[in-house]
Each structure stands twice: as C-alpha cells, then as structure tokens.
Amino acid sequence: MNTTAPGTPFNFAQHLLDLNAARPEKTAFIDDVGRLSYGQLSERVRRLAAGLLALGLRREERVLLLMHDSSDWAVSFLGALYAGVVPVAVNTLLTADDYAYMLQNSRSQAVLVSGALLPTLRQALAQGGHEVRHLVVAQPNGDLGAQATAFESLLAANAPLPQCASTGADDPGFWLYSSGSTGRPKGTAHTHANPYWTAELYGKPVLGLKESDICFSAAKLFFAYGLGNALSFPLSVGATVVLMAERPTPEAVFKRWLEHKPTVFFGAPTGFAGMLVSPKLPTRDAVALRMCSSAGEALPADLGERFTRHFGIEIIDGIGSTEMLHIYLSNRPGQVRYGTTGWPVPGYDIELRGDNGGAVPDGEPGDLYIKGPSAALMYWGNREKSRETFQGAWTKSGDKYVRNADGTYTYSGRSDDMLKVSGIYVSPFEVEATLVQHPAVLEAAVIGMVDEEGLTKTRAFVVRKAGAAVDEAALKAFVKERLAPYKYPRRIDFIEELPKTATGKIQRFKLRDMQAANA
C-alpha cells in the first residue's frame, strides 16, 4: 500500500484489524487479568469507537489516555483511531499538576482512565483551567462519581462501528508527550501512517519479528518505544503481546519471563543493569528469549556483553525518539557492535553536522539529524520549538554522535551535555560507560565542573552496587587506565541514587543544580 501519496485513505487501526482478520482465535494480548484474542480485539475496538462517537466526540478532537498497560489500553488507543478521534497517550507516573497542564494543552474533551489513576486525575481536574466532558473508567475501584462511565458499560451499550473514519495517511492520528526533562513536556503530534512506517522499516525487516513471537516490553505503551514494541510491531505480524500494569522491576519482569515465555523482550540499559545484579536472575535454560532490544539511552558495551554471556542472546541496541516515533539507528540481529548504536535503519537518512551546519568527518562528534517517513507533524502550540526541531525534511535529535570507520555510530551524549576539556570535546557517556565497567559500580553520571583556574573538568556521581566497596582514588585509577588522561573525573561523589525522569533518563541538570548549591 502506498501510504505516502497525498489524500491516500488510511486508518492505522483498520489496517491492523484487517491484517489479523484471518486469525480471530489467536491470542493478541495477555495482561494481568486475562487474554484477548484478535477477534475479540476487533470487536472491542469497534465497540469503543462507536461509544466515543455516541458520547458526542467529533473527528480530530483529543481524548487523554491515562491507563496502565493492559488490553484496555490497546482497545482505547485503537478505538479512538478507528473513530477518527485523537488519543493523547500520557505517562502514568506523573503528578496531578502534569495532567492538569496536559489536559489544558491538548484541550482533551474526554479521558480514558484506569480506576487506580482516577483519584490523581480528579485532582488534576479540580485545578480548573479546562473542562472535560466525559470520563471513561477502566477497571473501576469503587464509585465512579460525576460525569464518569464504566469502560465495560460503554462497550456493552454500543454495537461495533461497521466502518472506520475516513482518515488519510497524513491526518492527525495520536499524540505523545516528550519526557520534559528540560521543561514542560511537548505534545508531539503523529499521523496515522507514522506507526505503519516504523513497523515496515524496523519491526519487520530489522528486528525480524514473526507471527510466532511473544513480545514483552518493559517500556510502557505510552512511550514511543513501548508503543512500537507492544502494539504496532507485534500486531503488524500477528504476534502475541504480554502486558503488565506494574512497574518493570527485575522481579516483575522475571515473573513474566518464566510464566509466559516471551521470545522477544524490549528493555532499557537501566533495567538490564538491575536484572544482572538481581539474586533472582533466571538461568539461561529457564527462559525462552531469542532476542532483546534496548533503547532510551545508549547501552554500555560491558552491560551488553555480560548479558550475552549469561543468556547467550544479543541485545539489539538502537536509538529513536518521540519525534521520530521509534528507532532509526540500530544494531542488527547477528550483527551487533556493542558500544555502538549500529547502522542507519534502511528508509532513514542520517547526517552529523558541526557547529557551522556542515558535515563532520568520521571520528569527530556532530549533531545528529534524521530524515524519514515517521517524523512527527509538530509540537502542538509551540511554533518556536517545532521550527527548531523539525527543519524541513530533517529532524534535529539533540544528540551528539560519532561515525566510525565501519559505518557504525557511537553515542557522545546530548548536545547540551557535551563538555570541552583541555580544548577537546569529551562525551559524558564515554566516561560513564567506563565507570560502570568497574564491578562495584551500578550507575554513573558525569557533568562538567569549573576548577579554581576557571577550567572545565569532569565530575562523576556514582551509585555503588549493594554491598560493594570502592573509593574515589581506586575508581579514578580504573578510568585512567582506559581513557585519555584529560577525560578521567577529577572528582567522584558517591550517592544513593541518580535523579531521573519518569522515563528513566538521567537528569544531569539536577546534578548541576546540586553542584551549584554546594559550591
């Protein structure tokens, strides 16, 4: 199907339902309360679409999707798309203040919410600023209160909508909010065709997902990464998905590995690090994994190598973004270069640009730009940031990378985190990746500090593994043996935990604030 031609009719929800119409009995989702077949998924998606229209929601109006991972989340997302309504998927770990902002920013006319999250949502609504017409509550915990309808009641009251909205490939499909690690999160608007392209360019040809796979993602569905892992990719090939509502602690992940035997697991470096030090780490023969994927932050080489030694399988590390929807630079199954983010995904063009906007030579860090068909339309209501990020056909990632002689790319940090030490750029990530190779180190973050002579040097914040011991001098010596002399951290602080966003990314600006406060 040519989804790129202007005016091409295309509805992503209908696309997925059509792909799986021939396997109605096969399990699509396994969640904490049961299983949902592809046939049941189709009926519930179309019932919810009819229900949303019966509530008076109109084409392209927004609905906030605030739900824990479950088959109801998938039904809500696809049902809204099917109806031509725009789901705004948001992080379930945020505060009432965050939701109040997102409601007002998106002007959502309804909220699809898990019962467990209803109290926090009501706090957000109580702040005023935006009036919501309807609340639809999945798995309610008690009295729903005013303006609320039970999810199952809405489905039962409406016959399946026989035909999807006549949306086009470039029509607004859904929103995701950026993590907001440096300010208010930005509403990132994606089209109906964008998830189609991520599945066609990455999920199928690069990861090689198959109908026989059972997929399980630690990254939740409200993340761009999780949406591909646990919905767009597996449903594009007729695979089965395992979902869980709780946070992906090592114990929670291991439980699903052992009970449901997923074949493909999608995680992030912080999660893989926690698993490897867990006393409950399963043995190789206890799991059915054939492959793992990592994104969110660059995967340290040592971490990938230790995981592969234990389980005998590869971690396919890649980088994507909310703006591009999924991964555009990645290692490949059977072709992994740990310590790098691999090669450009076919269908995406990559450029590294210097401060003057020109190309940088191999071996030197440059700003990463991407061109590909899954780029977002814009940041809603933020023209300045939209123009800064979406530059014609190119998207500015905000990351620094180095291109290696073999065509792979190595992460050098966020553009605003790079340090210039002794007149030479130093990647915080390179120093962090070296620190975590020490057997006593669990996590590390590096920022710049100005010494008594006004010169920038590296400073590290380190979290030790439970029960492990290492002092500053020993750790400095460890780094000096492995990196150029000017890169080793001149100061190392040992702390209990690193500040992170709700997505698990290190907030270096908070470490800089801490440093300024203690100066």
Side-chain angles (χ1 to χ4, degrees):
M1 177 184 296
N2 180 9
T3 66
T4 60
T8 300
F10 184 76
N11 182 288
F12 185 63
Q14 182 67 66
H15 168 70
L16 292 182
L17 298 185
D18 287 346
L19 286 178
N20 294 293
R23 53 176 73 90
E25 302 303 320
K26 184 176 181 188
T27 299
F29 291 101
I30 304 170
D31 65 11
D32 295 341
V33 297
R35 293 171 177 255
L36 191 72
S37 70
Y38 273 105
Q40 292 168 322
L41 174 66
S42 176
E43 179 175 347
R44 287 171 71 82
V45 164
R46 293 183 292 118
R47 282 183 181 274
L48 181 71
L52 294 175
L53 296 178
L55 292 176
L57 290 165
R58 296 172 296 181
R59 177 84 172 263
E60 294 182 13
E61 286 188 325
R62 272 80 65 194
V63 294
L64 201 77
L65 177 49
L66 176 59
M67 282 186 177
H68 291 304
D69 275 21
S70 66
S71 63
D72 288 344
W73 196 105
V75 168
S76 298
F77 182 81
L78 294 174
L81 290 178
Y82 192 91
V85 176
V86 177
V88 180
V90 297
N91 192 325
T92 59
L93 303 174
L94 302 180
T95 66
D97 289 344
D98 293 317
Y99 299 135
Y101 168 76
M102 291 171 173
L103 285 165
Q104 187 169 8
N105 179 253
S106 66
R107 297 196 282 277
S108 291
Q109 297 300 301
V111 182
L112 295 153
V113 59
S114 293
L117 297 167
L118 185 58
T120 305
L121 175 65
R122 289 209 179 275
Q123 292 176 32
L125 293 170
Q127 294 187 23
H130 176 71
E131 185 176 347
V132 171
R133 304 200 320 255
H134 302 285
L135 302 181
V136 180
V137 185
Q139 300 178 23
N141 292 336
D143 181 29
L144 296 181
Q147 292 182 294
T149 302
F151 187 82
E152 293 298 333
S153 298
L154 184 66
L155 295 184
N158 291 276
L161 191 67
Q163 187 171 348
C164 69
S166 57
T167 52
D170 289 340
D171 282 358
F174 59 96
W175 292 17
L176 301 172
Y177 272 93
S178 67
S179 61
S181 60
T182 57
R184 281 293 195 185
K186 299 178 288 294
T188 310
H190 280 282
T191 70
H192 272 265
N194 285 0
Y196 166 87
W197 285 118
T198 62
E200 292 300 310
L201 296 177
Y202 188 68
K204 293 179 183 179
V206 176
L207 292 183
L209 295 183
K210 302 173 291 189
E211 181 181 356
S212 58
D213 277 318
I214 300 174
C215 299
F216 175 38
S217 176
K220 299 299 185 180
L221 283 161
F222 55 74
F223 295 132
Y225 180 48
L227 181 65
N229 305 341
L231 193 146
S232 305
F233 294 177
L235 268 58
S236 291
V237 297
T240 296
V241 182
V242 176
L243 298 173
M244 70 175 182
E246 65 186 296
R247 297 185 70 168
T249 62
E251 291 74 17
V253 169
F254 298 158
K255 179 182 178 183
R256 274 73 182 183
W257 283 4
L258 298 175
E259 284 185 4
H260 301 303
K261 300 294 185 180
T263 57
V264 181
F265 174 71
F266 301 85
T270 299
F272 286 117
M275 292 177 203
L276 287 175
V277 298
S278 170
K280 297 183 179 179
L281 183 69
T283 58
R284 180 184 301 193
D285 58 2
V287 301
L289 296 171
R290 69 173 184 85
M291 179 177 67
C292 288
S293 165
S294 180
E297 290 194 299
L299 181 76
D302 178 68
L303 186 55
E305 289 161 358
R306 286 190 287 127
F307 190 93
T308 296
R309 281 198 299 271
H310 181 84
F311 285 109
I313 60 172
E314 299 169 322
I315 299 180
I316 310 303
D317 185 35
I319 183 176
S321 66
T322 304
E323 291 77 10
M324 295 302 296
L325 191 58
H326 214 275
I327 288 171
Y328 44 78
L329 190 61
S330 180
N331 282 274
R332 315 289 165 81
Q335 190 180 9
V336 170
R337 302 285 187 274
Y338 283 133
T340 80
T341 316
W343 297 263
V345 172
Y348 292 90
D349 294 325
I350 301 293
E351 285 188 2
L352 297 184
R353 302 179 186 174
D355 294 340
N356 63 358
V360 299
D362 286 2
E364 292 188 14
D367 291 305
L368 178 68
Y369 286 75
I370 316 101
K371 182 169 67 173
S374 62
L377 291 168
M378 61 177 168
Y379 297 131
W380 176 262
N382 196 331
R383 183 173 173 83
E384 180 182 358
K385 288 292 185 183
S386 293
R387 293 180 70 173
E388 182 181 315
T389 299
F390 305 107
Q391 301 180 11
W394 293 90
T395 300
K396 183 179 181 180
S397 71
D399 292 304
K400 289 272 192 183
Y401 263 84
V402 171
R403 187 179 186 275
N404 305 309
D406 64 354
T408 61
Y409 288 74
T410 299
Y411 181 64
S412 292
R414 294 290 294 174
S415 297
D416 52 3
D417 287 332
M418 289 292 286
L419 307 173
K420 211 161 196 181
V421 179
S422 301
I424 307 171
Y425 273 120
V426 174
S427 162
F429 179 77
E430 182 184 17
V431 184
E432 293 163 3
T434 304
L435 285 165
V436 298
Q437 291 177 30
H438 193 284
V441 174
L442 179 62
E443 292 182 302
V446 171
I447 62 172
M449 69 173 187
V450 178
D451 66 13
E452 62 276 4
E453 296 177 347
L455 301 175
T456 298
K457 305 297 182 188
T458 49
R459 178 181 181 181
F461 293 83
V462 169
V463 179
R464 297 184 184 98
K465 292 177 182 175
V470 64
D471 62 19
E472 183 176 11
L475 206 46
K476 283 182 178 179
F478 180 83
V479 177
K480 284 181 181 179
E481 292 174 357
R482 290 161 174 79
L483 294 180
Y486 63 90
K487 295 182 180 181
Y488 87 91
R490 299 307 197 273
R491 175 172 170 179
I492 298 177
D493 296 86
F494 295 98
I495 57 177
E496 291 299 315
E497 61 179 354
L498 296 174
K500 295 178 182 177
T501 68
T503 66
K505 295 181 180 179
I506 297 170
Q507 294 175 307
R508 290 179 181 81
F509 73 93
K510 288 192 175 180
L511 296 175
R512 289 192 284 267
D513 291 345
M514 184 191 311
Q515 176 173 262
N518 295 330

